[in-house]
Amino acid sequence: MSDEMKDGILFLVEVMNNLHDVLIVIINDILGLQMTDKDMHFWIMGVIGMVTFIAVYMISKWLSQFPFGIHLIAFLYTLTFMFVLVFAIEIQQAITSRGNMEFADAIVGLWGYIALFLVYAGILVFFILVKALFRKGKHKKDELDV
């Protein structure tokens, strides 16, 4: 594992631990709710999940109005999945010491998906243009027959 990757992960762990400690003080000491760690995880993750769901729903509803909206939604969903997958693989490599955990590996993996998606998008645009040209040619032929 590279030093930059290790430092980045340790920084994120430290931020999450500090946030966790602050939430425990706020929930238990200030608000007096006396929640267990599991109770706190239930409510905090539930709220984060619902806020995320509402944001994703609103963005998806907006994107679906565009001609290629469903493609955009599927692309973004898959990209999110790919982020989770490549970082899970890199973390797994660090834990098991099988392979090298490198941030660059994760980025290259994501670029692979984006590059192949762009090839797909290019092919799709090509077929749409060909279809539009044939439709335009058919309309001109119909006008000449009248």
Side-chain angles (χ1 to χ4, degrees), residues 55-87:
V56 168
Y57 178 78
M58 290 170 53
I59 291 167
S60 298
K61 191 169 176 104
W62 175 69
L63 286 174
S64 69
Q65 297 172 1
F66 292 99
F68 297 103
I70 299 301
H71 286 86
L72 290 171
I73 293 167
F75 170 77
L76 293 173
Y77 178 83
T78 306
L79 184 62
T80 303
F81 169 79
M82 293 302 295
F83 266 98
V84 172
L85 180 63
V86 297
F87 284 106

Side-chain angles (χ1 to χ4, degrees), residues 2 7 31 44 47 55 62 64 66 81 114 118 123 135 143:
S2 70
D7 291 342
L31 298 177
I44 298 297
V47 168
W62 175 69
S64 69
F66 292 99
F81 169 79
I114 292 170
L118 289 174
I123 292 169
R135 206 177 313 144
E143 291 172 8

Side-chain angles (χ1 to χ4, degrees), residues 21-33:
D21 294 343
V22 168
L23 285 172
I24 286 175
V25 168
I26 291 171
I27 290 170
N28 290 338
D29 297 342
I30 295 175
L31 298 177
L33 296 176

Side-chain angles (χ1 to χ4, degrees), residues 8-69:
I9 290 173
L10 290 175
F11 174 74
L12 290 175
V13 167
E14 185 67 25
V15 168
M16 290 308 297
N17 283 336
N18 289 338
L19 181 61
H20 184 269
D21 294 343
V22 168
L23 285 172
I24 286 175
V25 168
I26 291 171
I27 290 170
N28 290 338
D29 297 342
I30 295 175
L31 298 177
L33 296 176
Q34 301 307 314
M35 286 189 183
T36 66
D37 195 49
K38 287 179 182 42
D39 293 335
M40 188 174 72
H41 281 252
F42 175 88
W43 287 105
I44 298 297
M45 296 310 288
V47 168
I48 290 170
M50 287 309 299
V51 168
T52 303
F53 171 79
I54 291 167
V56 168
Y57 178 78
M58 290 170 53
I59 291 167
S60 298
K61 191 169 176 104
W62 175 69
L63 286 174
S64 69
Q65 297 172 1
F66 292 99
F68 297 103

